[in-house]
Each structure stands twice: as structure tokens, then as C-alpha cells.
Amino acid sequence: MNRVVLIVLDSLGIGAMPDAENYGDAGADTLGHIAASKTDFSIPNLIKMGLGNIDGVSNIAKEENPAGSFGRLGERSKGKDTITGHWEIAGLLTEVPFQTFPDGFPKEFMKEFEAAIGRETLGNYAASGTEIIEKLGPEHEKTGRPIIYTSADSVFQIAVNTAVIPLEELYQICETARKMLIGDLQVGRVIARPYILENGKRIRTSDRKDYAVSPTGKTLLDHVKDSGKKVYAIGKISDIFNGQGVTTSVHTDSNQDGITKTIEALRLDFSGLIFTNLVDFDSKYGHRRDPIGYGRCIEEFDRRLPEILEAMKEEDVLILCADHGNDPVHSGWDHTREYVPVLLYGKTIKSGMNLGTRKAYADIGATIAEMLSANPTVIGESFFQLLKKI
């Protein structure tokens, strides 16, 4: 194999895992509930790939002769957040979940943080990002106090109107938080959440930036890079891995931009891994509990899937997967503990192969490492031999 294209359809879970009840997620089914909610849901290209043939997938038609191979992956790691999911895909096990702060961060820490940034803050509680900027935005815009919030994920999020606090200052504030959130206060990510006020509406911009902790060991990205090949990261991938193992990083403004930049990367001539995250599924629709919008977003991806396939070179392999669920009909506004799909397509691998239910997201990383002749990942079992054409 010369190149693997791995696209994470952020949060597109396909049904609750057996331990979902421990996470408050019994009955979650992101894809199934979207399909049930949107009566005109149309994803012919994903169906042709074999999405509806995956074990446990509901409300999606099966394909008699799938163009791709397909399977369902469980998560071995503890948690249901972005970093945990992506790190496991890339071969790292998270046995102790990242610290969360559902009641907000300690008052003593917040005082120290405010002193360090020279500003008092607002919020400091768990909330939906769109809701909290509507609620606290007017006071923030009047006082210049940044809005702090968290969620069921291990995050310290900072929202500001960039007309009040310039973007570069927001990034500096986030860097300060990242340095201070250590030890018992360590979170997986500090996230800059800039927004603008336009025609009376508060609109989050694409200048979001994640400040993640570094991976706890070598990942698939490191192994591919160490083998002398390129790791071309598109979207928030570089942020999630704190740049570790990345050779090229490309920012994206939206899913559509991410798809376009993936196609542009496919047209380049290099060997290695193209690793893309399409975050709109999660950030714009899952967290906002909008099943119809989420469905439209999947349909938009489906319409452009043929462009991706057309841009692939003879030996390229495409892998589609997710990193957790975010059921838009579930209670609250946070991620859900779910199985995720894996779909694979390429002229050099078998089509129509049912990989069944796999034990770990990490099987993806193990498979890619073998495909690219890189060192094996720490965890995960490769299914490459099942896909090889004789």
C-alpha cells in the first residue's frame, strides 16, 4: 500500500455499547435515531459501501453487493471523548478516563487563573456552548470577562467575542490555562471558542483551536512518520495529537472544506497517511441535539463521497470511521458511549467482507500500520490479512 486515507466522521456512533449504562447512555444510537427522525434520509453512496450491512445498524438499507468492506468497533478505553477515541484509533489505550469537572473548576484555581490572565471570568459550569454564549454573551461583551465552561468531556472551554478580546489574546489565555491545568486539574483539552456578533446573532467562528495533552506513548502517526512516510493531518487531528507524529497540518473551516482539502491531498503524490476529522457532525448537530441537521450533514458527505473515490490513486485505501457517538435525540448535549462503524474501500482490497464486531477502535490503527509497513501499534489487532486479495 502506498497511502491510506482515514476519515473520522466525528461522533457518528451506531448503537450503545454493553457498558453504555455506566455512562448514562443506555439506548443511544446516533445513526439509527437520525435515520428514524429524518423520513427522507438519503445516503445512497454510504449504503453502497455497506453501511447498512454492519452488525447492529438500524434503519439503514442493506446492500446486496457492497462496494466496500465493513464492520463494527467497540471501544476498549474508558471514556467517550474526542481524545480518547482518536488516541485509541491510533493505537493507544486510555485506562483511566480524563478528569472531568461537571460542577465547574475549583474556586481557588479560578482565582489563580484570573490573576494570571489579568481578567475576571464568567460562567465556570457545564453547558452547551451555543446556549452559554447566548446567556452570558451580553455581560461578557459589556465587561470583557471571558466565558468559561465545560461539559461531560474533559475540557476547559473559553468563549469570547473577538471584537471584545482579540483572537490572539484568546489563544494566549488558552495557553495560560493549558500550562496551569496540571496534576489533579489536568484536562484532555483546553479549547478556544471564538465568536462574532452578526445581525444580533452570536455565531461561533472557524478559528476554534484545541490545546490537547500530548499522547502517552507512540501512536500510529509516529510509526508512519518514523517509517519515512508522510502524515497529512486535516482538521483538528494535529490539535488532538498535540502535533506528535504529524508532518503536515491543514486547518479547515467546515466539513465541506475538510472534504475539499482531503481531495486536494489525494491529488498530491506522496506515500503515507491522510488523516481527516470532519467535526461538523459533532459540534453543529450532535451537541445541539439536532437530528434533522445531523441527517442533512451526513447526506452532504454522502453526495461528495464519489469525489473522494474518484480522486484516489490505484493503490490508495479509504477508511471511514467515528470516534464516539453523539446521539441527537439523547438527553443532555454530550457524547454517547457507542460502537462506531468502519467502512473500507480500495482497488487492492476485498469488497463485501463483513469484519463483524471488533473489540477495539485500535484495530484500525493496527491495520493501517500493517498496510503501510510501519511498526505495529501498542494495542489493536490488524484485519488487513482478511482484506487482502489473493
Side-chain angles (χ1 to χ4, degrees), residues 21 56 70 86 137 143 160 181 191 230 255 272 289 358 366 389:
E21 187 173 358
F70 50 89
H86 279 78
T143 65
V160 307
L181 289 163
I191 306 178
K230 181 172 286 191
N255 272 13
R289 294 302 186 249
R358 312 284 300 190
K389 288 184 176 178

Side-chain angles (χ1 to χ4, degrees), residues 173-184:
I173 290 171
C174 289
E175 290 170 4
T176 298
R178 180 73 277 173
K179 291 175 183 176
M180 295 179 67
L181 289 163
I182 57 177
D184 292 340

Side-chain angles (χ1 to χ4, degrees), residues 216-241:
T216 54
K218 282 199 168 188
T219 72
L220 168 70
L221 284 66
D222 296 295
H223 297 320
V224 173
K225 181 180 178 181
D226 290 347
S227 72
K229 299 180 178 69
K230 181 172 286 191
V231 176
Y232 197 106
I234 298 174
K236 65 179 184 177
I237 294 299
S238 186
D239 289 345
I240 292 168
F241 291 89

Side-chain angles (χ1 to χ4, degrees), residues 13-72:
I14 55 172
M17 287 185 55
D19 63 356
E21 187 173 358
N22 299 335
Y23 295 81
D25 297 329
D29 184 357
T30 299
L31 178 61
H33 288 151
I34 289 166
S37 299
K38 194 174 189 301
T39 55
D40 60 347
F41 191 46
S42 177
I43 50 170
N45 297 304
L46 286 166
I47 287 174
K48 181 65 178 175
M49 287 274 285
L51 181 61
N53 297 66
I54 296 173
D55 293 353
V57 166
S58 59
N59 301 320
I60 304 294
K62 296 184 184 298
E63 172 66 30
E64 186 175 348
N65 296 300
S69 288
F70 50 89
R72 179 172 76 164

Side-chain angles (χ1 to χ4, degrees), residues 73-76 88 358-364 379-381 383:
L73 306 174
E75 186 169 16
R76 279 184 57 188
E88 181 166 323
R358 312 284 300 190
K359 294 180 180 179
Y361 297 0
D363 288 5
I364 294 174
I379 63 166
E381 295 182 8
F383 45 77

